[in-house]
């Protein structure tokens, strides 16, 4: 028993060392990556469940790493959150999204983009200034750029977060509460936060196959009483679509309609889908 215990410790140490090494590598590479423009946004359509119409795109980051190939966000976003590099990365990606909106606008495509940002930004009014500047720099129309956040960090400084969200309202920036229902939902704070949209987490949508899910019903009824829109994420089959639509969910997102797409594919998708 003793020797197997020691083996486990050695195994643990090796695994730990590898993990730390990987995190240190990511931390180093992130810095270069931003400078070298290694990050690309993909765009996943958010569509109306009631008619075939794309209402917006969610921007999802992809990292073209010079030696490791395509790195998914799950590998580096948590590291960037830990090191604080998420602040710089988010601002960089917000600018990319704003540029894309401008480019699409020039091509005659008026749409909206939501960008995932860390709740860390909701601790300083500088963030409001930055978003105002982006609206200015890229001549964005009201509501063109919106934000997705998870609730966790917002609650720590409710007053400041509220002030920041209010400061963005003149631009038509809407706040999407991401992964709603997972983690520690502090329902008591929900009505105090001036958010606009709830996103039902994919894990709940997954369970909607042949029967409904009381949690989804609860989220939809909560949203109705708070007058929030709802987007269901991770819709992979027509049954989920039908069920959500019947329950009064207005918007959806998922592989059934489209995976996240590179910008030119998103452009084509938008036009094909609207005219179906
Ligand atoms: P999220 O914001 O909850 O994004 C939804 C994730 O589910 C995306 O994964 C998307 O590609 C995936 N997805 C969408 N529809 C389906 C579906 O029907 N089936 C399945 N199996 N998956 C679906 P992705 O792109 O790997 O992003 C993972 C997470 O990384 C995101 O979760 C978000 O928390 C974070 N993330 C992605 N891009 C950014 C970014 O630009 N900034 C920040 N701060 N975080 C990001
Ligand atoms: Ca999201
Ligand atoms: Ca989500
Ligand atoms: Ca999620």
């Amino acid at each position: 028993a003793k020797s197997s215990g020691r083996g486990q410790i050695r195994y643990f140490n090796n695994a730990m060392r590898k993990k730390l090494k990987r995190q240190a590598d990511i931390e180093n590479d992130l810095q270069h990556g931003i400078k070298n423009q290694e990050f690309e946004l993909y765009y996943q359509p958010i569509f109306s469940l009631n008619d075939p119409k794309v209402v917006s795109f969610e921007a999802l980051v992809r990292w073209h790493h010079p030696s490791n190939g395509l790195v998914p966000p799950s590998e580096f976003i948590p590291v960037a959150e830990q090191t604080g590099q998420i602040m710089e990365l988010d601002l960089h990606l917000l600018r990319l999204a704003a540029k894309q909106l401008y480019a699409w606008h020039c091509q005659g495509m008026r749409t909206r983009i939501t960008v995932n940002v860390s709740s860390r930004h909701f601790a300083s009014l500088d963030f409001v200034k930055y978003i105002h500047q982006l609206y200015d720099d890229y001549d964005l129309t009201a509501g063109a750029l919106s934000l997705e956040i998870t609730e966790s960090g917002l609650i720590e400084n409710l007053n400041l977060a509220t002030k920041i969200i209010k400061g963005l309202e003149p631009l038509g920036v809407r706040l999407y509460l991401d992964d709603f229902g997972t983690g520690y939902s502090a329902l008591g704070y929900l009505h105090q936060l001036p958010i606009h949209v709830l996103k039902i987490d994919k894990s709940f949508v997954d369970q909607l196959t042949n029967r409904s899910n009381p949690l989804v019903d609860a989220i939809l009824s909560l949203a109705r009483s708070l007058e929030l829109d709802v987007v269901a994420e991770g819709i992979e089959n027509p049954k989920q679509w039908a069920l959500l639509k019947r329950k009064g969910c207005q918007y959806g997102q998922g592989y059934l309609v489209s995976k996240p797409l590179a910008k030119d594919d998103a452009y084509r998708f938008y036009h094909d889908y609207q005219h179906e």
Side-chain angles (χ1 to χ4, degrees), residues 129-228:
K129 268 194 237 153
Y130 189 82
I131 304 284
H132 273 266
Q133 193 63 53
L134 285 182
Y135 264 79
D136 239 35
D137 290 350
Y138 299 98
D139 217 2
L140 303 181
T141 49
L145 191 68
S146 287
L147 304 170
E148 296 199 8
I149 34 160
T150 54
E151 58 197 318
S152 51
L154 284 185
I155 290 153
E156 284 158 26
N157 196 338
L158 205 61
N159 286 335
L160 187 52
T162 301
K163 214 167 155 187
I164 291 169
I165 299 172
K166 287 277 177 206
L168 295 171
E169 253 167 24
L171 301 171
V173 172
R174 310 214 311 150
L175 262 288
Y176 289 58
L177 207 48
D178 210 347
D179 300 344
F180 188 72
T182 66
Y184 305 93
S185 292
L187 285 185
Y189 293 99
L190 198 57
H191 75 284
Q192 293 181 47
L193 277 170
I195 54 147
H196 310 90
V197 187
L198 294 183
K199 292 193 83 169
I200 301 183
D201 192 65
K202 178 177 178 299
S203 57
F204 300 118
V205 175
D206 283 344
Q207 298 164 24
L208 291 176
T209 43
N210 286 307
R211 54 200 175 90
S212 57
N213 177 336
L215 272 171
V216 169
D217 294 349
I219 294 172
L220 287 169
S221 108
L222 185 68
R224 254 190 303 277
S225 57
L226 295 173
E227 298 184 340
L228 303 174

Side-chain angles (χ1 to χ4, degrees), residues 91-111:
L91 298 184
H92 174 66
L93 297 175
L94 277 164
R95 187 166 288 278
L96 283 186
K99 272 188 197 165
Q100 189 56 58
L101 280 165
Y102 180 76
W104 277 340
H105 195 163
C106 293
Q107 291 176 269
M109 171 166 146
R110 280 173 183 272
T111 188

Side-chain angles (χ1 to χ4, degrees), residues 39-41 43 59-62 76-77 88-98 115-116 130 134 145:
F39 296 92
E40 182 185 4
L41 288 176
Y43 301 93
L60 294 155
V61 67
R62 303 293 179 254
F76 62 91
I77 294 290
E88 192 186 344
L89 181 62
D90 281 347
L91 298 184
H92 174 66
L93 297 175
L94 277 164
R95 187 166 288 278
L96 283 186
V115 179
N116 293 282
Y130 189 82
L134 285 182
L145 191 68

Side-chain angles (χ1 to χ4, degrees), residues 7-25 82:
Q8 266 172 11
I9 289 171
R10 195 177 315 121
Y11 172 77
F12 177 77
N13 281 340
N14 277 335
M16 198 62 187
R17 203 167 17 242
K18 262 192 201 139
K19 191 172 171 212
L20 288 175
K21 165 88 166 69
R22 226 198 51 200
Q23 290 192 347
D25 286 347
Q82 257 172 25

